[in-house]
Amino acid sequence: MRLRTALVTAVAAATIAPLAGVAAADDGGGLPSGRHNVAPLKPVVTAMPVDPPLNVKLPFCAGRTGSAFPLDTKIHGGPAEYHPGGASQSWSLDLTNTSHEDCDSIHPVLVLVDRDRTLKNDRIRMEFDDPATGRKHSVAFLKTDEDEHIGVFDDGFPGFVIGAGKTLTVPVRLGFTDDAVPDRITANAAIVQRRGTNGQWVGESADYRFDIVAEGDLLHQIDTELAETGRGSALARLGLVSAVLLLAGGALVTAPRRFRIRRRG
């Protein structure tokens, strides 16, 4: 999944503001029709920040070479599975400033796309820590008409500051409510630098894929085991199939014996 600049900057311009004035859109969609539109057709904020005077505006982060992003972005440490209603799982977002200038007002934007298009905004629980203050911040999600769930790291805080050549690690916790249904999710973090009502795309992570799995889902556990041991392993497959037969088909094995015993009696 690759994010497009127009989508990210449109979302940033509409939502990266003091989120006391932001209401998460309902699952019917809160962004304009057509993901390439630069400006939303209906406002999702009640108040927009005022741009500072031109003589005090700060530059955006400078790119390192050509069109390369100035911030290297990496999601790591995330689990492969989440359980509906289970405890939130921890992972980290690394932001590395490859430029020769400090980057301030940095706001990650997490985009979740679910395979079955059944995920709802209110089933997602997410928060992050600001390493500079130690404060926890919640993340509200919006939904696009392409069924993408967008969570902006901004509940009113001014954004991260990353020194030239430095790496900032942002702790994140993600979970799903007990009414979330099993699904495959692809997550991607885009990074936006805010300047008043404007935003510039300055980084993007690789995909992070995971499953929402109901507790005790035997078939999913078997599929996971096959993936870990290698689907080409005949021995592993035979062992797993045998386990399924023992667990699910035990009654079929014992029933004829019981029938024979009753006939003899």
Side-chain angles (χ1 to χ4, degrees):
M1 177 179 64
R2 299 291 298 176
L3 298 177
R4 294 185 173 89
T5 306
L7 169 64
V8 176
T9 54
V11 173
T15 63
I16 298 182
L19 287 190
V22 175
D26 62 21
D27 289 305
L31 295 180
S33 298
R35 61 184 299 172
H36 301 295
N37 289 352
V38 175
L41 300 181
K42 65 177 182 178
V44 294
V45 296
T46 58
M48 294 297 290
V50 177
D51 283 337
L54 291 176
N55 61 344
V56 297
K57 281 189 176 181
L58 299 175
F60 287 108
C61 294
R64 48 186 175 183
T65 55
S67 60
F69 288 128
L71 292 183
D72 279 344
T73 306
K74 181 181 179 182
I75 295 174
H76 65 90
E81 296 180 2
Y82 293 78
H83 299 295
S88 294
Q89 302 295 310
S90 298
W91 44 270
S92 298
L93 180 65
D94 283 351
L95 305 173
T96 300
N97 183 357
T98 64
S99 75
H100 300 293
E101 302 176 11
D102 292 350
C103 290
D104 64 349
S105 302
I106 298 299
H107 296 266
V109 179
L110 189 72
V111 178
L112 303 180
V113 177
D114 63 308
R115 178 193 59 200
D116 299 333
R117 302 299 191 264
T118 57
L119 185 63
K120 305 294 183 183
N121 290 334
D122 59 5
R123 294 174 181 171
I124 308 169
R125 302 193 310 263
M126 183 170 161
E127 64 179 10
F128 66 93
D129 295 342
D130 181 355
T133 64
R135 289 185 55 195
K136 294 177 172 56
H137 299 268
S138 60
V139 177
F141 280 82
L142 305 169
K143 185 177 180 180
T144 73
D145 61 343
E146 296 292 331
D147 292 323
E148 296 162 319
H149 300 268
I150 299 180
V152 182
F153 286 44
D154 180 11
D155 63 350
F157 94 119
F160 300 118
V161 178
I162 308 168
K166 302 295 184 180
T167 295
L168 177 70
T169 298
V170 181
V172 179
R173 287 167 297 282
L174 177 65
F176 299 89
T177 61
D178 56 7
D179 55 350
V181 299
D183 206 344
R184 167 63 61 90
I185 310 291
T186 299
N188 182 284
I191 312 302
V192 175
Q193 185 180 30
R194 174 185 168 188
R195 283 289 177 262
T197 56
N198 297 315
Q200 177 167 307
W201 193 17
V202 294
E204 182 184 5
S205 74
D207 291 344
Y208 162 40
R209 295 183 175 88
F210 58 87
D211 293 313
I212 300 176
V213 182
E215 290 281 3
D217 187 337
L218 180 61
L219 291 179
H220 181 82
Q221 293 174 15
I222 292 171
D223 190 62
T224 300
E225 290 292 335
L226 284 174
E228 292 177 350
T229 58
R231 293 183 179 272
S233 171
L235 182 60
R237 183 179 293 105
L238 177 60
L240 288 168
V241 171
S242 300
V244 174
L245 291 175
L246 288 172
L247 290 174
L252 297 178
V253 175
T254 59
R257 294 180 180 175
R258 292 174 182 171
F259 178 73
R260 289 196 296 270
I261 291 172
R262 285 197 296 268
R263 286 177 59 88
R264 291 175 183 174

